[in-house]
Amino acid sequence: MNHKQFSEQAIIEKHNNILSTISHDLKSPLVAIIGFSEIILREMLEESPSNSKWIHMLQRISGAGRDMSKLVESILAMAKMEAGKESVEPEWVAEPEKEFHEALKTFEYEAKAKGIGLSLELKSHLPAVRWDITKLRYHVLNNLVSNALKFTPPGGRITLGVQAADEIVVIKVKDTGPGIPKEERERIFHRFEQINLKSQRAFKGSGLGLYNAHLFVKQHGGRIYLDASAVEGAVFIIELPRDALKPKF
């Protein structure tokens, strides 16, 4: 490692230590905000269901609290990954199909409420895999499907496609949103990067979701990228080795 690389790494570590400390300090008050707002909201719905003004405000408070909590978790995950303190723990999963079904169930209600079709396409039988399935679901699949839901208009559709090919499993998350401009595709997996706000598909977030997805896929010995040949919406492709302890890329 040369002097420049060492300096850059030292700066990243310093920033991550600060972010990690702040994030830990934010967790406790966030738990209180989310918990108490949901208790009040539940009581309002039971006792004054017609009071739509205050119910709507409480829903916004609760939703903002959950969004902030997700951001805090993303920052902590990133800081741990870059510091080498967050590692994947692969275990054999005999029936990975069930995991993909469960991953989509998380978003069924939101998709239905927005009038968006959500489906799973299994193009072949999936063999047993050795992955850290919990972290893949939370940091990779959840991020990709959640992003797709943000940008897919009512009446659109999101497809999670999975197919086994030799010693790898190919996962595709496809949506019918506005897509991502060619000039933006290289940097969307970078740390704290966001799509240009002038583009049709502006990433209204921290810029950490796709970066974290990239980190966890890489730790599994795989790779994640955009399908450049897609003519509609955005298609994210993940290629994972069946055994994360035997990286392919």
Side-chain angles (χ1 to χ4, degrees):
M1 181 181 294
N2 59 39
H3 179 71
K4 182 179 178 181
Q5 289 174 322
F6 179 81
S7 298
E8 290 176 350
Q9 184 63 31
I11 291 171
I12 289 174
E13 288 179 3
K14 182 179 180 180
H15 286 174
N16 280 350
N17 286 336
I18 294 170
L19 287 172
S20 182
T21 301
I22 293 172
S23 299
H24 276 295
D25 290 343
L26 285 172
K27 290 185 77 173
S28 293
L30 275 173
V31 170
I33 291 170
I34 296 168
F36 285 120
S37 65
E38 291 185 347
I39 289 171
I40 297 170
L41 176 59
R42 185 165 57 248
E43 291 184 358
M44 286 286 291
L45 289 169
E46 292 174 355
E47 298 175 9
S48 305
S50 61
N51 199 336
S52 58
K53 176 184 176 181
W54 292 105
I55 288 174
H56 177 68
M57 288 182 181
L58 284 166
Q59 288 172 331
R60 294 292 297 272
I61 292 170
S62 178
R66 288 194 298 271
D67 288 343
M68 182 62 75
S69 181
K70 289 178 183 177
L71 173 58
V72 168
E73 291 298 333
S74 293
I75 292 172
L76 287 172
M78 177 201 69
K80 289 178 181 178
M81 286 283 286
E82 291 189 337
K85 297 177 181 178
E86 177 80 75
S87 58
V88 297
E89 299 175 357
E91 294 181 352
W92 284 106
V93 180
E95 298 179 277
E97 293 98 334
K98 290 183 179 179
E99 299 295 336
F100 289 105
H101 279 290
E102 289 299 317
L104 282 193
K105 283 183 180 179
T106 305
F107 300 96
E108 280 182 350
Y109 176 78
E110 184 179 354
K112 186 176 181 180
K114 292 182 176 181
I116 297 171
L118 187 62
S119 61
L120 174 65
E121 289 185 357
L122 294 172
K123 297 184 178 180
S124 61
H125 170 71
L126 297 182
V129 296
R130 182 153 58 174
W131 298 341
D132 188 330
I133 195 67
T134 301
K135 288 175 182 173
L136 275 174
R137 277 183 56 180
Y138 183 80
H139 293 288
V140 182
L141 294 179
N142 283 11
N143 268 321
L144 294 178
V145 177
S146 179
N147 267 344
L149 281 168
K150 285 181 185 178
F151 307 114
T152 302
R157 64 186 183 280
I158 298 168
T159 305
L160 173 61
V162 189
Q163 182 176 11
D166 296 326
E167 292 301 309
I168 66 170
V169 175
V170 181
I171 303 165
K172 293 185 180 182
V173 179
K174 179 180 179 181
D175 66 56
T176 56
I180 299 172
K182 291 182 180 179
E183 64 273 16
E184 305 286 356
R185 293 175 182 174
E186 289 297 321
R187 65 190 190 93
I188 61 171
F189 295 107
H190 294 177
R191 195 175 192 256
F192 290 118
E193 288 286 0
Q194 295 179 329
I195 295 298
N196 191 317
L197 292 177
K198 294 181 180 178
S199 73
Q200 288 182 306
R201 185 166 175 148
F203 276 64
K204 303 172 184 176
S206 63
L208 282 178
L210 291 176
Y211 177 67
N212 281 351
H214 159 73
L215 290 178
F216 278 95
V217 168
K218 187 175 180 181
Q219 274 212 333
H220 275 78
R223 61 182 180 178
I224 179 172
Y225 56 94
L226 272 168
D227 184 353
S229 66
V231 295
E232 179 187 33
V235 181
F236 287 88
I237 300 176
I238 305 162
E239 296 178 352
L240 292 172
R242 284 181 54 195
D243 187 346
L245 299 182
K246 298 178 181 179
K248 294 292 180 183
F249 305 102

